Amino acid sequence: MSPIRIQPIGSDPAEALSAALDLSPYLRALDRRYAFISGDIAQHGAETTLEQAIATISALGDAADLAAAMVGLRQQKARAHFAIAGLDLAAKYTLTEVTNSVTRLADACVRAALGVAARAAGLTTEGLVIFALGKMGAGELNYSSDIDMAAFFDRDVFDGGAREPGDAAMRLVREAMRILDDRTRDGYVFRTDLRLRPDPSSNPLAVSISRAADYYQSIGQNWERMVWIKGRPVAGDVSLGREFQAMIEPFVWRRHLDYWAIADVRAIKSMINAKTKPLSEEIVNPNVKLGPGGIREIEFFVQTQQIILGGRNPGLRAPATLDGLKALEDAGAVMPETRAALAQSYEGLRHVEHRIQMRLDDQTHTLPSNADDRAQVAALCGYDRLEPFDKDVFDTRRTVNTYYAKLFESDAAQDTARPLGNLVFTGVDDDPGTLESLTALGFREPSQVIASVRQWHRGRLPATRSERGRELLTALLPHLLQVMSDTGEPDQAFRRFGRFLEGLSSGVQTLSMLEAEPLLLEDLITTLALAPRLGDILARRPGLLETLLAVNGRPDTFIPAPNDDFETAINAARVWHGEQTFLIGYRLLHGAISAQAVAGHWSGLADTIIEAMARAAEAETVRLYGEKPGVWAILALGKLGGREMTAGSDLDLIVIYESDEQSDGQTWFMRFTQRLITALSSETGNGSLYEVDMRLRPSGRAGPVATSIAAFERYHHNDAWTWEHMALTRLRTICGDADLGGRAEAIAKDVITSEHDADKRKNDIFDMRQRLARDKPAKGPWDLKMRVGGLIDVEFLVQQAMLLSGDKGVLVPRIGDAIDALQLAGHLPDDEADTLKSSYALLQSLQQIQRLTIGSDGTTERMSTGLKRRFSRALGLEDFVRVETSLEQALLRVQVLRCKKIGQLPTET
């Protein structure tokens, strides 16, 4: 191996700077603007010039003139920068002396800026402290480094003058940072960054000591512990800073690390590994900090072991990287040859980093890709040719990468097997590798995902308020994100999972369950992504997830308490209905119930709810208006009548009553029906049940909501239209007086099979089908009901056959059963019956999945890959192409049959 060999480019700083002017546009610009600095160095020496600059900056803290102070800070910073460059390039300072000098310069500037800002505001800094973090805290600043800081104040000590202490502290810190940050005609002092403070998205620039301590002791994260290894009070009330560090010492230096803390540290390394590309000699412009074999790997090598071992060994708590390496060697945690190799590599890479930044005063760590520009960096390092410089940089990085790979070596296989790429949610900036990983997983809003996960980790939700909850979520995240990607709707799945997570009162139990049951996690995410109705229910009531395991997904029985009042009964029904809706839909989505069989489940659920609400409505009407004056029955039409409901179907109902002889009872039964409608359709805090449609009652909207049996019979024998007779083919009694319901069904059969003009019925049916095609055309290719050849055509064909048969034996509400009955009785030829049965089964199966997931307006383009798989599975087909082919073939077969039996639509001529 050939380590980086830094050589002086002059015998003294003045000579080195003279040589550097041709290689560094930044130094050349400083020399032109401030020619006196070169004279100072020539006369007094670079070290004296540096010390004079820092002393002058320190004195500016007492300046009364803000504008003059800002100019002075920038001029003296330039003076110090020029002197440090000369000392570095002439090799008069070691790496440690260079970084300490840049850090002392930054310390003086921060103190001066805070002093000037406080004087201008008429405040003192007692009770307010600014901490240096990161490289500044460790005394390791780069030549052109940003400076990471955090500001804290003691509300009981800091005097904000006329302002509240928190507001005054925030304004004071903001002004101090402006003094340093603002770019004027004289340049800037330092770029500042306060985002390493606790929860920067929620907390002001200055955070109260008590709030910060609570944060770190309750929800502080491992990456923040690593930040505070290098924490140092630098400006303001330094004694307060030391007290604060003592307060959070148990957070930073844990005496005992549990499994999850160690696993989290290892996970950070795995994430970093996944981000960096493999070490390659072909990459001529590596990032000497963040790339493979870069400075960060050495820093991480030291810091992770300090975090794990430093709680029990205070001797390992050195903020500086080289000091930390030596401490690890002394403690026997690192072999001497490892320490020597990494220390030598660290010094070489940091020197290269300084010279990269020295050229243009840019906060960059990447060597130029242009050979001429890179040759200037090489020349600043003392190389006379580029090729050996490139080789030495690569060899040094290879050495670092080799030792780094041995850190947590037992996890190496797991690291290389990580299929998702980088997943880093720590820190305050969006990690570029994580953005790439999430984009590759199909997330269209990766930054929003990172921001949300970051907030979860900060304990913003009840589910992640405990450390155990955060640990479980961290463990689940890779699998969670992969499953979201697999649904084909990752952003939607993530948003709905977020709502689900927000609804958890305590996350440990549920997250533990999801960790222990990977298949349950997969089913949960798929449900959230593909079935909005179910996702909304689950978001409102996350406890349903436990119901899945408790009842194995089987619907149970709803029996309202006999003493419940009306309001209690309807709320209890909504709670139970929500559970059963979720369970039925969940089982359908995941294949536990077939798409054909699920109609019976939806319909049975509706039957149960209607009966329970009818009993509650009756009890309430009796309470308010006295005993019922007769009997009632509730009958269903449409999909409910045929036991063919889908998710979200409304209820087509008729209420029939018969009064006692001594009373007409109409008013009582109308009040009863109105309460029934309220019980079934009103929105409460527990949601709603169904939309109720009673337009199929005699006289429609113009008629009373409850119909006497006599009026029902009279209307349908004398005044009903053909379309109403078609509707009656699906009449079915739900609950109430069984005899009354049976009589109503018998009336319907008599009406349908009594003498009618067959040609008139056929003409009416044809006219109705044409009117529907004109007034309610299909909304799109996946409007399975209204499309030509769709469910409406099947229903018209079957109902026409019933109406023309004159056979009561074929009058059964369910379409599939009716087809069988018509075929058996000889009213449908076998080929026509087979066409109708197969097409109806396919259309009904697709509609069940469709209504559960995307509703009736979906298009193929809106369907995710996960949803297409669900459609394929529902039909037992290999892929979605075959689903679309089968659908088009079924529609065509029904269309041809409808043209033959009913007639052509205007669009078909």
Side-chain angles (χ1 to χ4, degrees), residues 689-728:
L689 296 173
Y690 299 97
E691 293 291 330
V692 177
D693 188 344
M694 303 192 76
R695 290 175 297 174
L696 294 178
R697 67 186 186 270
S699 300
R701 290 190 179 94
V705 290
T707 306
S708 69
I709 187 70
F712 178 80
E713 182 173 22
R714 184 169 56 252
Y715 176 83
H716 281 292
H717 272 297
N718 301 323
D719 302 315
W721 297 70
T722 299
W723 69 266
E724 292 176 293
H725 294 167
M726 293 172 69
L728 289 178

Side-chain angles (χ1 to χ4, degrees), residues 11-119:
S11 59
D12 58 48
E15 183 180 323
L17 285 167
S18 178
L21 295 182
D22 291 333
L23 305 172
S24 167
Y26 171 64
L27 293 177
R28 189 163 59 248
L30 287 183
D31 187 54
R32 288 173 179 170
R33 184 174 182 84
Y34 303 110
F36 69 89
I37 302 177
S38 293
D40 285 350
I41 291 174
Q43 182 178 358
H44 305 292
E47 192 164 7
T48 299
T49 300
L50 170 63
E51 296 305 322
Q52 288 176 346
I54 292 176
T56 302
I57 289 170
S58 297
L60 286 172
D62 295 325
D65 187 333
L66 174 60
M70 289 184 68
V71 172
L73 281 170
R74 283 154 178 75
Q75 289 179 347
Q76 295 305 316
K77 179 256 186 162
R79 187 181 180 198
H81 243 206
F82 203 72
I84 292 170
L87 291 163
D88 188 0
L89 295 171
K92 298 302 181 183
Y93 270 10
T94 65
L95 172 67
T96 299
E97 288 172 321
V98 170
T99 57
N100 282 344
S101 296
V102 179
T103 303
R104 287 195 304 116
L105 170 63
D107 288 356
C109 289
V110 172
R111 292 188 192 111
L114 182 63
V116 169
R119 177 180 287 272

Side-chain angles (χ1 to χ4, degrees), residues 639 644 646 730 769 772 782-799 815 836-848 850-851 887 890-891 894-895 898:
K639 284 186 177 294
E644 294 163 341
T646 63
R730 313 192 79 179
R769 184 64 189 96
L772 278 175
W782 277 84
D783 187 344
L784 301 178
K785 179 179 179 180
M786 301 309 298
R787 266 200 73 178
V788 171
L791 288 165
I792 196 70
D793 275 337
V794 176
E795 292 174 10
F796 265 65
L797 283 163
V798 173
Q799 289 168 354
I815 293 291
L836 289 173
K837 280 191 288 189
S838 62
S839 299
Y840 188 71
L842 182 145
L843 290 165
Q844 190 182 45
S845 295
L846 290 177
Q847 190 185 52
Q848 288 289 355
Q850 179 194 36
R851 291 287 176 88
L887 171 60
L891 292 168
V894 173
Q895 179 187 9
R898 193 252 305 132

Side-chain angles (χ1 to χ4, degrees), residues 413-729:
Q414 180 180 349
D415 291 346
T416 57
R418 181 181 294 271
L420 301 186
N422 206 27
L423 292 175
V424 179
F425 300 100
T426 59
V428 294
D429 290 318
D430 288 354
D431 175 68
T434 302
L435 291 172
E436 291 177 10
S437 296
L438 292 172
T439 300
L441 287 169
F443 288 92
R444 291 183 292 275
E445 301 174 358
S447 290
Q448 184 58 50
V449 173
I450 294 173
S452 296
V453 173
R454 196 175 284 144
Q455 293 307 312
W456 296 346
H457 280 308
R458 291 190 184 280
R460 288 292 178 80
L461 309 177
T464 58
R465 203 153 286 158
S466 70
E467 186 173 3
R468 179 60 173 156
R470 296 193 296 276
E471 291 165 352
L472 287 166
L473 183 63
T474 299
L476 283 170
L477 263 177
H479 188 199
L480 196 66
L481 294 169
Q482 181 64 68
V483 174
M484 290 174 179
S485 175
D486 292 342
T487 68
E489 291 286 351
D491 290 283
Q492 187 163 274
F494 184 86
R495 284 192 295 272
R496 290 182 179 148
F497 179 77
R499 289 201 296 271
F500 166 78
L501 199 62
E502 289 170 7
L504 295 176
S505 57
S506 174
V508 172
Q509 183 175 356
T510 301
L511 294 175
S512 296
M513 179 173 64
L514 292 174
E515 185 192 29
E517 300 279 350
L519 292 179
L520 181 63
L521 173 64
E522 293 174 13
D523 286 352
L524 166 66
I525 298 304
T526 302
T527 302
L528 294 171
L530 303 184
R533 293 178 185 275
L534 304 185
D536 290 342
I537 292 171
L538 197 56
R540 289 196 305 268
R541 300 177 57 202
L544 285 173
L545 197 64
E546 296 180 20
T547 306
L548 285 174
L549 297 180
V551 301
N552 197 25
R554 291 191 299 272
D556 57 11
T557 304
F558 176 65
I559 304 175
N563 297 324
D564 281 350
D565 60 37
F566 186 60
E567 184 176 349
T568 301
I570 66 175
N571 276 309
R574 280 153 176 73
V575 171
W576 182 81
H577 178 267
E579 291 179 0
Q580 302 312 308
T581 297
F582 174 75
L583 293 172
I584 293 170
Y586 183 96
R587 296 181 74 208
L588 168 62
L589 190 66
H590 299 293
I593 303 176
S594 73
Q596 285 185 280
V598 77
H601 290 271
W602 293 125
S603 303
L605 172 61
D607 285 358
T608 302
I609 286 290
I610 291 167
E611 181 170 8
M613 293 299 91
R615 298 302 178 193
E618 180 185 66
E620 180 70 356
T621 310
V622 166
R623 185 182 71 83
L624 292 172
Y625 303 107
E627 290 298 322
K628 63 181 177 180
V631 294
W632 53 263
I634 299 173
L635 295 94
L637 299 149
K639 284 186 177 294
L640 177 57
R643 293 188 175 89
E644 294 163 341
M645 290 187 71
T646 63
S649 289
D650 58 10
L651 305 179
D652 293 305
L653 299 177
I654 298 176
V655 176
I656 303 292
Y657 69 89
E658 186 172 48
S659 299
D660 298 334
E661 292 182 3
Q662 65 273 24
S663 170
D664 65 14
Q666 184 182 42
T667 301
W668 193 98
F669 287 109
M670 287 181 65
R671 288 167 171 167
F672 159 72
T673 304
Q674 287 163 348
R675 276 158 185 76
L676 172 65
I677 295 170
T678 296
L680 290 171
S681 62
S682 63
E683 183 85 25
T684 76
N686 292 303
S688 60
L689 296 173
Y690 299 97
E691 293 291 330
V692 177
D693 188 344
M694 303 192 76
R695 290 175 297 174
L696 294 178
R697 67 186 186 270
S699 300
R701 290 190 179 94
V705 290
T707 306
S708 69
I709 187 70
F712 178 80
E713 182 173 22
R714 184 169 56 252
Y715 176 83
H716 281 292
H717 272 297
N718 301 323
D719 302 315
W721 297 70
T722 299
W723 69 266
E724 292 176 293
H725 294 167
M726 293 172 69
L728 289 178
T729 62

Side-chain angles (χ1 to χ4, degrees), residues 27-337:
L27 293 177
R28 189 163 59 248
L30 287 183
D31 187 54
R32 288 173 179 170
R33 184 174 182 84
Y34 303 110
F36 69 89
I37 302 177
S38 293
D40 285 350
I41 291 174
Q43 182 178 358
H44 305 292
E47 192 164 7
T48 299
T49 300
L50 170 63
E51 296 305 322
Q52 288 176 346
I54 292 176
T56 302
I57 289 170
S58 297
L60 286 172
D62 295 325
D65 187 333
L66 174 60
M70 289 184 68
V71 172
L73 281 170
R74 283 154 178 75
Q75 289 179 347
Q76 295 305 316
K77 179 256 186 162
R79 187 181 180 198
H81 243 206
F82 203 72
I84 292 170
L87 291 163
D88 188 0
L89 295 171
K92 298 302 181 183
Y93 270 10
T94 65
L95 172 67
T96 299
E97 288 172 321
V98 170
T99 57
N100 282 344
S101 296
V102 179
T103 303
R104 287 195 304 116
L105 170 63
D107 288 356
C109 289
V110 172
R111 292 188 192 111
L114 182 63
V116 169
R119 177 180 287 272
L123 301 174
T124 70
T125 59
E126 184 181 8
L128 182 143
V129 60
I130 293 180
F131 271 90
L133 303 172
K135 283 184 165 59
M136 183 178 177
E140 298 176 321
L141 276 180
N142 303 327
Y143 187 76
S144 296
S145 183
D146 293 353
I147 53 177
D148 293 310
M149 293 175 290
F152 304 98
F153 69 96
D154 187 333
R155 192 175 296 277
D156 296 329
V157 177
F158 179 69
D159 183 359
R163 298 185 181 277
E164 186 271 333
D167 181 46
M170 182 272 293
R171 291 170 180 269
L172 176 57
V173 171
R174 183 172 60 194
E175 177 65 3
M177 297 306 105
R178 186 191 70 79
I179 291 170
L180 297 171
D181 264 317
D182 273 6
R183 288 184 178 269
T184 70
R185 61 189 298 274
D186 297 297
Y188 70 102
V189 187
F190 279 95
R191 293 173 293 260
T192 65
D193 192 338
L194 279 84
R195 291 176 299 163
L196 292 180
R197 68 187 184 275
D199 199 358
S201 63
S202 299
N203 283 324
L205 294 180
V207 184
S208 76
I209 288 285
S210 58
R211 185 169 183 174
D214 287 345
Y215 170 86
Y216 288 124
Q217 291 164 8
S218 59
I219 59 173
Q221 299 167 63
N222 282 309
W223 70 267
E224 290 173 303
R225 297 175 58 228
M226 295 169 76
V227 164
W228 278 97
I229 289 177
K230 299 179 183 294
R232 176 174 61 90
V234 66
D237 194 336
V238 173
S239 62
L240 174 66
R242 295 195 185 102
E243 291 173 11
F244 176 69
Q245 279 189 292
M247 291 170 65
I248 66 170
E249 183 176 302
F251 159 69
V252 181
W253 302 110
R254 295 185 188 175
R255 187 164 181 81
H256 302 288
L257 280 185
D258 60 22
Y259 165 77
W260 284 103
I262 296 174
D264 193 33
V265 172
R266 291 176 173 173
I268 295 171
K269 174 184 182 268
S270 298
M271 294 169 182
I272 292 171
N273 289 357
K275 173 185 176 182
T276 55
K277 297 178 180 178
L279 189 68
S280 171
E281 201 164 6
E282 295 179 2
I283 299 175
V284 296
N285 63 320
N287 186 315
V288 297
K289 176 183 179 181
L290 304 179
I295 295 164
R296 183 179 61 178
E297 291 188 355
I298 304 172
E299 293 171 338
F300 191 86
F301 183 97
V302 175
Q303 286 180 293
T304 52
Q305 294 179 88
Q306 287 178 305
I307 282 290
I308 292 171
L309 304 174
R312 287 172 292 177
N313 186 346
L316 296 177
R317 301 177 186 179
T321 301
L322 291 176
D323 292 342
L325 263 175
K326 184 64 171 67
L328 287 169
E329 179 190 2
D330 293 344
V334 168
M335 297 295 291
E337 58 270 23

